[in-house]
Amino acid sequence: MSDLEFPQFPPGFAWGVATAAYQIEGAVAEDGRTDSVWDVFCRQPGVIRDGHTGDVADDHYHRWEEDVALMAGLGIDAYRFSIGWPRVQPGGTGKANAAGLDFYDRLTDGLLARGITPMPTLFHWDLPQELEEVGGWLARDTAARFAEFASLTADRLADRIDTWITLNEPFVVMAFGYALGMHAPGKALMLGALPTAHHQLLGHGLATAALRSAGARRVMITNNYSPIWPASGSTADMAAAQAFDALQNRLFTDPVLFGSYPNLSAFDLGPAGLEFVRDGDLEIISAPIDGLGVNYYMPTRVSALPDSPLPFQMEPIDGYPVTAFGWPVIPAGLTELLVRLRDRYGDRLPPVYVTENGCSVADEPGPDGTVDDQFRIGYLDGHIRAVADAISAGVDVRGYLTWSMMDNFEWSEGYHQRFGLVHVDYTTLRRTPKSSYAWYRDVIAAQRGVAAG
Ligand code: BGC
C-alpha cells in the first residue's frame, strides 16, 4: 500500500490510462466494420485460451459514455485508445467508412467535453484481413495503405486531436505475429519475419508525413522496451543479451531516431540481408517525431543458444513477486530502461511518455461487491516511483498512462488476465471500479494539489 507521498512530477505531466480497440470495443460486425486479422485468428480452434474472441469484449462501442464518465472520475489528463482500421477503412483500401469514423468522432468530443486529451494510436494490431491476404506487413504496400488510413482518420479528427501515435509495439507484431505465430496472423517465419519490421517502420514514417499534412501537431511511436539481462557474465550470454537487445530495443528505435538499423550481425540474414530496405526509406522513417511512447512490463533475462537462428533463449527471473501472468514485478527495470534510452539516444531522444505499464491480477469481487486489488496498487506505486527516479536522473518523461483503464481481451489469454483499474463482469458487462481506481484518482489529485500549492 502506498501513502500517496510521491515526489512532485513536473508541471504539465500527463496522467492517463490506455486501451486498444480490439481489446475493448466488441461490435465487430457493426456499422460496416469488417474482419481484422485478430477476428480471423480467434476463430481458429486452439489458438486463444478457451476459444475467447473480441466479438463482444467490453462492449465499449455501445458503452463508451459510461467508460468516459469513469475516466472523468479518475481525473486523468489523457486517454490513449486505438482507432480500429477495419472500422474506419473496411478492407484496408478505398474511402473512409463514415459510420466508423463517427464513433471516434463522438468519443473524441466526449473526451474533450470532460477535459481529457485524446491520444489515439492508429495501429494496435487489428490489420484488415484483406491486407493480410495480400501479404500483410510482409508486403511493402501495406506501409502505403497504412499512411492512407492515417490520412483518412486525421482528415476527420486532427482539428480536435493534437497528439497521434502511429504504431503500437511493432516488435510484438513481428515477433509474436510473424516469427513465432502466437498472435495474429499466426505465421511462424522466424527470421523471415524481419521485413515486417521494416514495413511497419516505413508505415510509421509515411503515416507521420500524412498526419502532418492533415494538420496533426504531434506524432509519436510506441515501442515496448525491456532491459535485457544476461543470465551470466559469460561472453556467450553477454553476446546473447546484446543480440536480443538489438532485436527488441534497438531495431524499432535506431531507424527512427538515428536513421539507421542497429548491428544485426548476430543473426544469419543470408545473402539477401536487409534487401527490403530501399534508398530513401530511412529518411522517411527518421522524420522528426515529437514524443516516444514507452511500454514497460518487465525485464528479460537471456542466455546463449548456440547453433540456432535466434541465438538466445529466455531464462526465468526469480526472486520477485509475480503477476497473475507470472511476470516478475521489477519497477527498477523501468528506471533502467528510461535511463538507457537517454544514454543511447542523447539529444535525439524526444520527450518520453510511458504509454503502457500495468499488471494482471486475478481480481474478482468480494462478498460486498468490491474488488480490492492491493497487489495492483503496490505495482503501480512502485512503477510511478520508478518514473520519478528516471526524471530525477534527468530523463525527460512527460506522462504516465497505465494499462489498462478496464479489464479487457488479453490476446492469446482471452479474458483470463485482468489488467484494469475497473473490473468488467463478462456476463453482465457491469463495470466495478477496483481499489486501484480510487488509489490512482487520489494520486492524481494529490499531484494536482501539490502543483497548485
Ligand atoms: C500490449 C497490450 C497488452 C499488454 C499486456 C502490451 O504488449 O500493447 O495490448 O494487453 O501489453 O499484455
Side-chain angles (χ1 to χ4, degrees), residues 36-54:
S36 73
V37 291
W38 271 95
D39 297 272
V40 174
F41 189 64
C42 288
R43 284 181 210 129
Q44 288 176 38
V47 298
I48 309 290
R49 204 167 149 195
D50 287 341
H52 290 167
T53 74

Side-chain angles (χ1 to χ4, degrees), residues 23 124-125 168-169 172 295 297 325 327 356 403 410-411 419:
Q23 296 181 270
H124 201 126
W125 308 353
N168 177 68
E169 303 190 353
V172 173
N295 293 353
Y297 289 92
F325 226 138
W327 297 353
E356 280 183 37
W403 185 271
E410 177 52 34
W411 309 115
F419 277 88

Side-chain angles (χ1 to χ4, degrees), residues 80 115 172 258 397 436:
R80 174 175 180 245
V172 173
F258 286 155
V397 189
S436 58

Side-chain angles (χ1 to χ4, degrees), residues 296-299 316-323 326-331 379 383:
Y296 170 73
Y297 289 92
M298 64 192 141
I317 299 181
D318 297 323
Y320 295 91
V322 292
T323 73
W327 297 353
V329 179
I330 308 177
Y379 181 99
H383 287 80

